[in-house]
Amino acid sequence: MSAYLTVSLKSWGGGSDSYFEYYLIEYGRLTTLNLSTLWKTAVDSTIHYLIRHSTVGNHTYTSTYDAITGLIHHTSGHLTCFHGGNWILGGKLLNNETIVNYGLALVDGCINTYIGTAIGIGPEGFAYASLDGNFTFFPDPTEDQLAFYEEHGFYIISDCILRPEVLESNFYAWHATSIGKCRAIESFNKHLPTTVAFTGIDNVNDVNSTKIDDMESFWFAEVLKYLYLTFDDPKNISLNALNNVSHIYVFNTEAHPLEAPPAKASYGGSGAKAKSGFKGKSGPTPVPSSFATPSRTKAPVQIG
């Protein structure tokens, strides 16, 4: 089963996340290697085939495509939620505000999984329904899960293990728009401490849930770092060359800041047409655009 899943499932989740996040965009920002065309092709394909909007709340999520069965799995997860910040970063580098706005919408969708739970922290995995169905590959949702979905636009399918991706994408959204929507500090301090550490939790929709006897290293390396930097002066660890900062940084997949060279005038994408061969089934063609002010946010800040 594991080999089948690894080969056939196409998504922005585990097994491919670091390739999209670091190699195709962040590594190109750090070096002379430019793989932005491959990254944009992946984003274009995702907009056409994997983006879904929940039938409740119209939240924007990505799905998973099974290349063997041809079925769409209406699932996503915390690990996948890096994609919003990644699209914001890549969209800014390519001067493509369409991709930036999709990134902001994906951030909103992932933050919704925090807002909707009893403890204010999102689950490891979640599912939803869209106009094309609700197949997930998991057992059919229970009555309680369906009731939860009707209220929140997603339902929970697994626990919480202290992942950073939602806060990571919130950090990029804050740098791009000066708006940070996800402040989970109070929830973390209330529900996750133990006598010697912070820990995962079995049921994010139960304030009395049992806890997981484990604290992941990325709690320190990423979760706490992105939280801190979201509230810190952006001049200290800056993603852009505004405000006369002398050092610009790129974060790798484990949130280690690497000093970047001066940004290029262009990383491609501006003025280019969407690649042929992608015929939209679930969304509009993602054409490049200028830096117009997004209707949903304040004026954008150029990252890079």
Side-chain angles (χ1 to χ4, degrees):
M1 180 63 72
S2 60
Y4 163 81
L5 292 175
T6 300
V7 171
S8 70
L9 300 185
K10 314 299 179 184
S11 76
W12 286 67
S16 58
D17 52 331
S18 294
Y19 172 72
F20 293 127
E21 179 181 9
Y22 186 66
Y23 187 61
L24 293 189
I25 282 294
E26 294 174 341
Y27 187 68
R29 176 66 183 85
L30 287 169
T31 70
T32 58
L33 180 64
N34 187 356
L35 298 173
S36 61
T37 299
L38 292 177
W39 180 85
K40 186 175 181 295
T41 299
V43 171
D44 288 354
S45 180
T46 301
I47 291 173
H48 284 307
Y49 296 111
L50 298 183
I51 287 285
R52 293 293 185 274
H53 303 283
S54 61
T55 56
V56 174
N58 196 37
H59 301 292
T60 302
Y61 304 123
T62 54
S63 60
T64 297
Y65 173 67
D66 188 328
I68 294 179
T69 66
L71 295 174
I72 288 290
H73 298 186
H74 296 74
T75 59
S76 189
H78 206 298
L79 182 63
T80 307
C81 281
F82 84 92
H83 52 18
N86 183 251
W87 288 29
I88 292 169
L89 172 65
K92 291 297 186 183
L93 291 177
L94 271 62
N95 295 318
N96 189 317
E97 203 65 17
T98 302
I99 294 176
V100 172
N101 283 333
Y102 269 107
L104 291 169
L106 289 170
V107 174
D108 285 349
C110 289
I111 289 176
N112 179 59
T113 68
Y114 272 57
I115 295 173
T117 69
I119 69 170
I121 302 173
E124 174 75 358
F126 62 90
Y128 57 89
S130 62
L131 292 179
D132 66 324
N134 62 357
F135 178 73
T136 66
F137 198 74
F138 290 92
D140 290 340
T142 65
E143 291 185 6
D144 287 344
Q145 286 174 318
L146 290 175
F148 186 93
Y149 173 77
E150 289 299 325
E151 184 175 355
H152 301 290
F154 76 99
Y155 64 90
I156 301 163
I157 56 177
S158 62
D159 53 13
C160 163
I161 63 169
L162 307 179
R163 287 201 189 275
E165 286 77 17
V166 172
L167 295 175
E168 174 186 357
S169 286
N170 181 69
F171 167 74
Y172 281 95
W174 175 75
H175 261 270
T177 67
S178 298
I179 298 175
K181 296 183 178 180
C182 186
R183 293 176 171 86
I185 296 175
E186 291 184 2
S187 295
F188 289 160
N189 285 333
K190 182 176 181 179
H191 297 287
L192 302 185
T194 63
T195 55
V196 295
F198 285 76
T199 184
I201 193 167
D202 288 309
N203 185 351
V204 294
N205 204 44
D206 180 1
V207 295
N208 298 312
S209 172
T210 54
K211 295 179 179 179
I212 302 170
D213 187 18
D214 183 66
M215 183 175 68
E216 299 283 354
S217 62
F218 47 66
W219 168 259
F220 294 107
E222 299 182 73
V223 176
L224 298 183
K225 186 182 296 179
Y226 282 123
L227 267 177
Y228 176 83
L229 291 175
T230 299
F231 294 97
D232 189 33
D233 186 336
K235 293 181 181 179
N236 291 332
I237 297 290
S238 182
L239 302 178
N240 58 73
L242 300 182
N243 302 318
N244 297 316
V245 296
S246 57
H247 300 283
I248 306 169
Y249 293 89
V250 170
F251 288 92
N252 70 3
T253 56
E254 304 304 324
H256 301 309
L258 305 174
E259 189 168 352
K264 301 176 184 178
S266 173
Y267 287 83
S270 180
K273 295 182 179 180
K275 288 184 174 295
S276 60
F278 293 114
K279 297 181 179 180
K281 290 186 177 180
S282 63
T285 301
V287 296
S289 62
S290 62
F291 277 115
T293 301
S295 60
R296 58 190 293 120
T297 65
K298 297 180 180 179
V301 176
Q302 183 173 359
I303 297 177

